[in-house]
Amino acid sequence: MTDSPSMSASDSAPVRFERENLTWRTMTVNDLEGAQSLSHKLGWPHRVDDWRQMLEVGEGVVLENVDGELVGTGLCFNQGAVATLGLVVISDDWQGLGLGREMMVRLMALAGPRTLMLVATKAGQPLYQKLGFEPCNRICQYQGVVSGAPSAPHEPGLRPMEASDQAALIALSPDSPAHALAVQSANRGVVIENAGVIEGLALKRTYGRGEHIGPILARSAEQAQALVLALLTDAEGDFIRIDLVDPGDDRWLTALGLTCVDQITRMRCGEAVEEGPLTRFGMLTQALG
């Protein structure tokens, strides 16, 4: 995951930094500011509100020291037959004690007998492979300030999301509280509907440094591109982030000022599971899938 703890550290640590001085417990809303502080130290853009929304749709585990300070976090999001794991953070002061592995074991226990998904950094990938995860997708994180906003694309059935669409859009991923929350809280959305059938969806929400476009669900890459372009028509000068799954030619996106700033690996533990009637071209977030 982009939120994976580093696996390198010294062989010994001061008494203050021994495992016996740590407490594992369930994350609560009172931990959100501490959790955001940990992620901020890693350079992640999450706001307290982003953490709050993710805790609302997931279960969290925290690790605190003898002073009551958070030194580790992790979240599990159960979404029917699939669970995603993310926002795994271990403070630099506590590296090298096997805490990243123990955090993962605890999160996997919360998920139960589900297929597990996560997004892994190169540093975290060896640990996840030891825990049974295998690479399944390439994730490219695009972000930047939109320049030269595009004209509305010509795609059959493309239109703005309406309040009356909510039930049908939630039904695209009915077992995912995270998906439902995204539909309900989006600043703006677009859909592709043909013959009364929803063939595509993309949402734009406030997140991190600006706005995030995701999830992006469609039947084809061409439809997915049209959905994104439709959400960028009024985004001139805005900071936008998009996490694309196995993207192809991205010149249409880079021409608008969004560049791939990171490439990471999506991993799966368990059998491949059909996540819905449409293909996921863009993630809700890296943690949520």
Side-chain angles (χ1 to χ4, degrees):
M1 279 171 273
T2 53
D3 39 18
S4 304
S6 169
M7 300 305 149
S8 62
S10 60
D11 294 331
S12 61
V15 173
R16 175 180 170 80
F17 299 130
E18 292 182 354
R19 293 170 61 101
E20 301 84 67
N21 295 330
L22 296 174
T23 300
W24 295 90
R25 61 174 176 79
T26 300
M27 182 184 289
T28 73
V29 293
N30 295 325
D31 297 315
L32 295 177
E33 290 190 5
Q36 191 276 335
S37 178
L38 278 179
S39 59
H40 179 73
K41 290 176 182 177
L42 295 177
W44 298 352
H46 303 81
R47 306 165 302 148
V48 172
D49 282 346
D50 298 326
W51 275 93
R52 179 176 292 108
Q53 283 199 342
M54 285 186 277
L55 181 58
E56 184 177 337
V57 296
E59 298 177 89
V61 175
V62 297
L63 190 57
E64 65 180 8
N65 64 16
V66 290
D67 299 320
E69 300 169 335
L70 291 195
V71 299
T73 64
L75 284 166
C76 172
F77 306 95
N78 290 331
Q79 306 184 56
V82 174
T84 61
L85 310 179
L87 289 167
V88 177
V89 185
I90 301 295
S91 171
D92 286 346
D93 290 337
W94 291 90
Q95 296 290 328
L97 301 177
L99 299 175
R101 181 186 182 91
E102 186 167 350
M103 177 67 77
M104 285 296 301
V105 169
R106 288 172 180 267
L107 294 177
M108 292 170 72
L110 284 178
R114 294 176 170 85
T115 290
L116 306 178
M117 305 290 292
L118 56 77
V119 175
T121 60
K122 289 182 180 179
Q125 196 166 334
L127 168 63
Y128 305 137
Q129 288 181 309
K130 290 177 182 177
L131 292 172
F133 288 83
E134 295 295 336
C136 59
N137 299 105
R138 177 174 60 97
I139 306 299
C140 290
Q141 178 184 330
Y142 292 84
Q143 64 185 46
V145 176
V146 177
S147 59
S151 302
H154 298 289
E155 175 68 30
L158 179 64
R159 62 170 176 79
M161 180 178 71
E162 301 173 355
S164 58
D165 295 322
Q166 191 171 108
L169 298 181
I170 291 175
L172 293 175
S173 190
D175 298 320
S176 171
H179 177 80
L181 180 64
V183 171
Q184 294 161 350
S185 62
N187 298 334
R188 186 180 169 210
V190 288
V191 302
I192 296 174
E193 181 182 11
N194 288 304
V197 178
I198 300 293
E199 297 182 347
L201 166 68
L203 303 174
K204 187 163 66 172
R205 302 174 301 113
T206 301
Y207 178 82
R209 294 173 54 188
E211 290 187 299
H212 187 280
I213 292 178
I216 305 164
L217 307 173
R219 289 185 172 176
S220 69
E222 292 73 23
Q223 285 184 326
Q225 180 175 330
L227 289 163
V228 172
L229 290 174
L231 288 178
L232 294 177
T233 56
D234 63 351
E236 181 75 29
D238 294 343
F239 184 88
I240 300 290
R241 172 173 168 172
I242 308 175
D243 293 291
L244 294 184
V245 181
D246 296 324
D249 186 346
D250 63 1
R251 287 175 292 181
W252 63 276
L253 197 54
T254 58
L256 299 174
L258 303 185
T259 58
C260 180
V261 299
D262 197 13
Q263 294 193 43
I264 49 270
T265 301
R266 194 181 189 206
M267 304 183 76
R268 181 182 67 239
C269 179
E271 296 296 322
V273 175
E274 185 66 42
E275 295 183 62
L278 302 176
T279 299
R280 187 173 300 271
F281 289 92
M283 306 185 81
L284 178 50
T285 70
Q286 290 186 13
L288 294 170

